[in-house]
Amino acid sequence: MNKQNMTVYLAADHRGVGLKLYLYEMLMADGYTVVDLGTHDLNTPVDFPDIAAVLADKMLDKPESRGILICGTGAGMEIAANRYRHIRASRCERPEQARDDRFHDDINVLALAADDIDIEVAFLCAQSFLESPFDNCEKRIRRIQKIS
């Protein structure tokens, strides 16, 4: 999919605001259409399941879109997002992992740990996630259908 035709939804809880703002600027500069779903205030705590729900709702309306969720550990967002049938989220720490998770499992949401990841590595993970194709072969489609 072409960068200009792909909508990337970006959302974070209060612990992920700084990384979210960095990724927003970098992805926009890289040519992506990025929609910032909040939160915007790092001093006002919000619950990660609420943020994941907003992103999941947006992606339901636009199935070809991708999402990036950020919280302190990344795990909370991954767990919350995967409660939605149309979401396949993975917490990634390395660009190669993001590439492989797209290729093998057609992830459509990348979860990042703001407390643990270097911002430049996070951007490389996001690029890898957004640029990597899914291996659209029969066995992978069959497996994804079983979890959907």
Side-chain angles (χ1 to χ4, degrees):
M1 182 180 281
N2 183 312
K3 286 181 187 183
Q4 290 79 19
N5 297 334
M6 181 188 304
T7 300
V8 180
Y9 292 109
L10 188 57
D13 71 0
H14 55 285
R15 287 170 57 192
V17 170
L19 179 56
K20 178 182 64 83
L21 293 173
Y22 174 78
L23 290 176
Y24 179 85
E25 293 299 324
M26 296 298 287
L27 292 170
M28 289 290 288
D30 204 22
Y32 288 97
T33 302
V34 184
V35 179
D36 183 345
L37 300 175
T39 193
H40 304 287
D41 182 2
L42 60 101
N43 295 314
T44 304
V46 295
D47 294 335
F48 63 82
D50 298 335
I51 301 297
V54 169
L55 183 133
D57 287 347
K58 290 287 186 183
M59 290 184 68
L60 189 58
D61 295 336
K62 203 165 191 169
E64 70 284 354
S65 63
R66 302 265 179 90
I68 300 174
L69 289 169
I70 307 163
C71 67
T73 65
M77 287 293 196
E78 176 187 27
I79 293 165
N82 279 322
R83 296 187 57 85
Y84 298 88
R85 287 174 112 23
H86 64 289
I87 300 294
R88 290 171 307 283
S90 181
R91 179 183 181 272
C92 297
E93 300 172 345
R94 299 178 333 277
E96 302 81 16
Q97 182 183 16
R99 179 200 64 219
D100 290 348
D101 290 359
R102 274 284 311 140
F103 187 81
H104 294 282
D105 302 308
D106 195 24
I107 66 167
N108 57 3
V109 173
L110 175 67
L112 297 171
D115 293 350
D116 299 326
I117 196 166
D118 176 83
I119 60 171
E120 292 166 354
V121 173
F123 176 60
L124 293 173
C125 286
Q127 278 185 312
S128 199
F129 162 66
L130 296 170
E131 294 171 6
S132 295
F134 169 55
D135 179 28
N136 198 17
C137 70
E138 184 274 329
K139 72 177 178 181
R140 299 200 197 288
I141 292 169
R142 180 183 70 242
R143 291 168 183 166
I144 289 169
Q145 287 172 340
K146 286 182 178 185
I147 62 172
S148 296

